[in-house]
Each structure stands twice: as structure tokens, then as C-alpha cells.
Amino acid sequence: MNTKKFILQEKDIPQAWYNVMADMKNKPMNPLHPGTKKALKPEDLYPIFAEELARQELNMTDAWIEIPDEVREMYKIWRPTPLVRALGLEKALDTPAHIYFKNESVSPVGSHKLNSAIAQAYYCKKEGVTNITTETGAGQWGAALSMAAKHFGLELAVYMVKVSYHQKPYRRSIMQTFGAQVIASPSMSTKAGRKILTDHPNYQGSLGTAISEAIELAMSTPNCKYTLGSVLNHVSLHQTVIGLEAEKQMEMAGEYPDIVIGCFGGGSNFSGITFPFLRHKLNEGKDIRLIAAEPASCPKLTRGIFQYDFGDEAGYTPLLPMYTLGHNFAPANIHAGGLRYHGAGTIVSQLKKDGLMEAMDIQQLDTFKAGTLFAQCEGIIPAPESSHAIAAAIKEALIAKEEGTRKCILFNLSGHGLIDMAAYDQYLAGDLTNYEVTDEDVAKNLESIEKII
Ligand SMILES: *Cc1c(COP(=O)(O)O)cnc(C)c1O
């Protein structure tokens, strides 16, 4: 193994998050109030979210938003994260491409999610909130928020997608160790959960359903707010610390990426690594490709349509203009639980529509093959989600080899897979399969949402 690391100092942790909406020519279209169908104002979100987060969500004018000292102080536990040149992987692929990855797996909970969890818990605490709720897929967001909630003295209830609750019991233990209450979703504790269990008693859950349950609990509990780990603009905003650090580190390496890649669930780590580079494309016309790597079993960017749709299964959220497979889409039980979401954030959706970024869909078996090769070359076992980005980076590196071009590729390693070993076990035993989504499945789901607007 032969890697090269680029390390920043504490003082290099960014002072401000980058808000790409300020620099976009075509701003994302307005989210709509689910009742009135009128353009959403920050005040409409105050009952659900901390007020500062609601303002960040709809802020289209300030390119830089200062990171509070208390949040930066917490970031120091593990930030700045390393940028690594993956020399081992380059050698294994025998490619002239240079491959770099930003290692967000070094956070205490093993993923990038803590970048936003700390910020969200901080603003809730500052505004006098005592309880928060959320959903979690594979448990990464729930784990991050549990740690942040404990630090700021908030009570947390987490709805965890049932399939992951059973597939990833140790993430549940992590949340409980940090003092959170964890409920498998769908549950009988909410109207949304009871309804879906009545219709489909064996339903293994989805992020969309878990979000409905968490919002419902927040709305029926005094002094309680809901928090979301992806999709929304303010979550993407907080994640830009990843790309802002990577920008400095690429400079240290004396290179500039031709291609920047992130795996894609709702878009937060993709946004985090790419938006600071996108700013050079928007403001200086830099030639750079941004690629979102999504699962073939949940292909909202590659095969969904751009439409107003709900962010959750029950239809509690505002209507968001986004690429979607339909809010009632039930994705296959793939191991990349964090990528099993029906829609994409509104910023990313606008960027995709405007041709400012691309998407690539990846089959489950290809992700595990890529993840295993990466582990053997670089010594880090990647999260199944992150392996989508690795597979995309490998694909691009092999194209560069065919063309004989010395492309510079940067991807985000969003998390490690040490709590996903049951998935690796299944892969090694030959028990994992690919999942095909038929055009009929996609069309059938989309029919139901075209009626919304
Ligand atoms: C949650 C998660 C993702 C997907 O979420 P995004 O918001 O799209 O980044 C990707 N990788 C890891 C490790 C995750 O925990």
C-alpha cells in the first residue's frame, strides 16, 4: 500500500459554509406549501424546523454563511479530514488517471453526516428547543445526530427504516449508546406508520415513511423540532466544509480535478464535495465534470422525472421541485440504505436540469466489487453507499486509460463500512444480487404524483 496524504491544520477549518444558490443563474424553483400550494416562506417552516435552518433553506442571496464558533469547535474533534491520493488503486487499475479521495470516514461516527448534525443540533439548542426527531436509513444520520444531540443536551427520537434496523443492529446500538430513543419504522406509534402497516403489514420501511413518522411526532410534541439528514438546502450547505477543505488540499497537491464524484442518496455529501468546485465553473467558467453516483435500484436522477413532489411518503413536507421516482416509491432492500430515497434535493435537481452536472447509476454487485478492491488497495473498508462513488471513479479511471489521458479524479469517501460487515459477508458468500427497476415500475409510481400539481 502506497498512499499520499494532504493534511490541513485546525485553523484551516472553513470559517463559513458556501451557499451555491447565491451564484446560480437559474435559482431552484420555489418549494410550495402542501396546503395552499403557494411559494413557501421561511415562516412556513418555523413550526417544523429551527428558524435559522428555515432561513438558510430559502437563502438565495448570501454566498457565505458564517459557521458558529460552537460548531467549529466541535468540528475540531475530527476536522480537517485528510485528502488522499489513491496510489494503490491507480496502480491496481493501471491507469494514467490521478485519483484522489476526501476521507470523511474519519469522523467519530464514521461518516460525513456529523457536519450537518452538529449544526442542526446547535441551532435547535440556541432557539430553546428541548426535543428533536428524525429518520435514519442505514443509521448513519441517526448515529451522527445522537452524538450531536447528547452534546447539546437535546432529547432525540429516531425512526429507523425497519430493514436497516435488522440489517444494521450496531448502528442502533450506537444511537442508544449516545442516549437516543430508536423506533423501527413503519411503527404503530404514528398515524402515517399505522396506515402503511394496515395496507402492507410486512412493509420493511423506506426513508419516505420514516420521515413522515418523525415529522408527525415533532408536530404533536411540545417544544420539539424535526431534523433531516439530507435532501434539504441547509443540509447541503453544512456539508460544503468537505469541498472547501478539498479545494485547499488539491492546491497543496498541485492539481485541479477534471471530475468530482459523490455517491447520491438525497444529495448532501455530493453537494458537499462538489459545490465549492462548481463555484469555479459558475463564476470563472472552469471546465469540470460533476458526477452523482446513484444505485440502479433507486435511479431518481438517471430515470426519474423533474416534478413537484413530496419529500415523504405521507405527504407532510412542502412540495419540492425535484427529480423523483414518486414519493411512494418502495426501493429494493439494497445494503446502501443511505441511498434508498425517492427524490433529489432541489438545488441538485436544478443543476441536473441545466446540464451543470451528470448522474450515473451503479448496480449493487459493482459497488461491492469496487469497495472490496478499494479496501485491498487503500486499507479502508468503505460504506456500501460510498462504494457507489468508488465504482464511478473506477469507471472514469478506466475510460482515461482507454483514451490514454491523464485525468484528475476526486471523489468523496462519505463513510467507512465497519458496521456494514454483514453486507460484505453476504457479498463474499455470493448471496447478493442486482436489482432491476422496470420502466413500468417507474411509470406506475410517477402516474400518482403527476396529479399533485
Ligand atoms: C447517508 C449517507 C449517504 C447518502 O446521503 P447523501 O445525503 O446523499 O450524502 C452516503 N454515504 C454515507 C456514508 C451515508 O451515511
Side-chain angles (χ1 to χ4, degrees):
M1 261 169 232
N2 182 9
T3 50
K4 204 165 170 189
K5 263 200 312 196
F6 300 89
I7 304 283
L8 297 169
Q9 310 294 313
E10 261 181 20
K11 66 173 173 43
D12 299 316
I13 297 173
Q15 306 278 347
W17 293 300
Y18 171 58
N19 175 17
V20 74
M21 288 193 283
D23 288 335
M24 287 167 70
K25 239 192 247 117
N26 295 337
K27 309 287 183 205
M29 283 155 60
N30 284 317
L32 304 180
H33 190 284
T36 63
K37 310 269 196 299
K38 292 232 170 71
L40 206 70
K41 295 189 291 296
E43 304 85 86
D44 296 325
L45 292 172
Y46 290 173
I48 309 179
F49 294 104
E51 296 183 6
E52 177 55 26
L53 296 171
R55 286 190 290 272
Q56 289 177 1
E57 185 63 24
L58 299 173
N59 184 333
M60 309 255 170
T61 47
D62 302 315
W64 299 97
I65 293 174
E66 198 183 315
I67 303 176
D69 285 343
E70 291 88 337
V71 174
R72 251 183 120 252
E73 224 23 67
M74 284 286 280
Y75 280 172
K76 286 181 187 167
I77 295 175
W78 79 103
R79 304 208 72 85
T81 63
L83 179 85
V84 183
R85 169 117 180 246
L87 290 166
L89 184 61
E90 288 174 19
K91 190 159 166 235
L93 299 172
D94 187 27
T95 174
H98 289 192
I99 306 175
Y100 291 83
F101 64 92
K102 179 73 168 157
N103 188 358
E104 289 295 306
S105 81
V106 298
S107 94
V109 293
S111 82
H112 69 287
K113 295 284 197 328
L114 208 48
N115 297 325
S116 186
I118 288 171
Q120 294 190 41
Y122 165 78
Y123 288 119
C124 286
K125 181 66 184 183
K126 195 169 162 229
E127 294 176 19
V129 170
T130 54
N131 292 60
I132 54 178
T133 70
T134 200
E135 77 297 322
T136 196
Q140 296 268 29
W141 167 246
L145 193 64
S146 302
M147 188 251 200
K150 181 48 71 184
H151 175 79
F152 289 108
L154 300 165
E155 292 289 330
L156 169 64
V158 183
Y159 286 93
M160 183 172 190
V161 176
K162 198 173 278 173
V163 57
S164 298
Y165 188 92
H166 297 298
Q167 272 177 351
K168 326 241 156 171
Y170 294 130
R171 288 247 170 67
R172 170 178 46 72
S173 319
I174 291 173
M175 291 184 259
Q176 290 166 334
T177 300
F178 282 119
Q181 188 199 342
V182 187
I183 309 120
S185 167
S187 76
M188 295 300 281
S189 70
T190 64
K191 246 193 309 188
R194 283 193 296 275
K195 173 159 190 313
I196 199 148
L197 281 176
T198 311
D199 296 345
H200 311 280
N202 291 322
Y203 188 50
Q204 290 302 296
S206 71
L207 279 167
T209 304
I211 293 171
S212 297
E213 293 205 270
I215 294 180
E216 199 182 310
L217 180 65
M219 292 197 299
S220 59
T221 308
N223 212 14
C224 180
K225 299 280 171 169
Y226 165 70
T227 64
L228 183 61
S230 182
V231 185
L232 295 176
N233 302 340
H234 66 266
V235 187
S236 294
L237 173 77
H238 304 151
Q239 294 296 351
T240 57
V241 288
I242 302 172
L244 291 168
E245 287 178 7
E247 194 186 343
K248 288 187 194 165
Q249 289 162 308
M250 290 303 303
E251 250 169 57
M252 286 168 81
E255 299 212 57
Y256 190 84
D258 299 295
I259 303 174
V260 185
I261 299 171
C263 67
F264 199 94
S268 78
N269 92 91
F270 169 80
S271 305
I273 186 89
T274 61
F275 286 178
F277 291 97
L278 175 61
R279 129 177 159 266
H280 305 155
K281 183 166 170 157
L282 295 174
N283 298 344
E284 300 150 38
K286 269 265 190 201
D287 186 20
I288 183 169
R289 288 172 62 206
L290 313 177
I291 303 177
E294 67 181 5
S297 58
C298 195
K300 57 251 177 185
L301 287 170
T302 48
R303 291 169 68 194
I305 55 165
F306 186 87
Q307 254 282 352
Y308 272 103
D309 193 11
F310 292 110
D312 68 321
E313 209 268 336
Y316 295 150
T317 70
L319 283 158
L320 303 170
M322 62 181 183
Y323 278 92
T324 179
L325 294 164
H327 61 277
N328 50 356
F329 184 78
N333 295 338
I334 55 165
H335 276 282
L339 306 186
R340 294 175 72 248
Y341 184 69
H342 66 272
T346 65
I347 299 176
V348 167
S349 293
Q350 187 64 44
L351 294 172
K352 171 81 180 10
K353 194 159 161 254
D354 290 341
L356 288 162
M357 57 165 283
E358 312 159 37
M360 191 188 277
D361 62 338
I362 316 243
Q363 288 285 1
Q364 173 155 269
L365 289 177
D366 292 336
T367 67
F368 277 89
K369 189 171 165 215
T372 304
L373 177 66
F374 179 81
Q376 292 173 1
C377 296
E378 301 297 328
I380 302 168
I381 295 184
E385 289 86 356
S386 314
S387 294
H388 288 71
I390 299 171
I394 290 175
K395 222 177 231 183
E396 289 298 329
L398 291 176
I399 292 173
K401 176 176 169 180
E402 224 163 79
E403 295 173 348
T405 50
R406 215 226 66 192
K407 285 264 157 59
C408 178
I409 301 169
L410 166 65
F411 73 86
N412 190 41
L413 183 73
S414 53
H416 69 64
L418 292 176
I419 302 159
D420 303 283
M421 293 318 292
Y424 278 87
D425 260 357
Q426 282 189 333
Y427 172 68
L428 295 170
D431 289 343
L432 283 191
T433 55
N434 288 333
Y435 290 93
E436 296 295 343
V437 179
T438 66
D439 289 339
E440 279 118 17
D441 289 340
V442 173
K444 206 170 110 216
N445 256 284
L446 288 174
E447 259 170 41
S448 61
I449 62 162
E450 273 171 327
K451 295 179 207 111
I452 297 173
I453 297 274

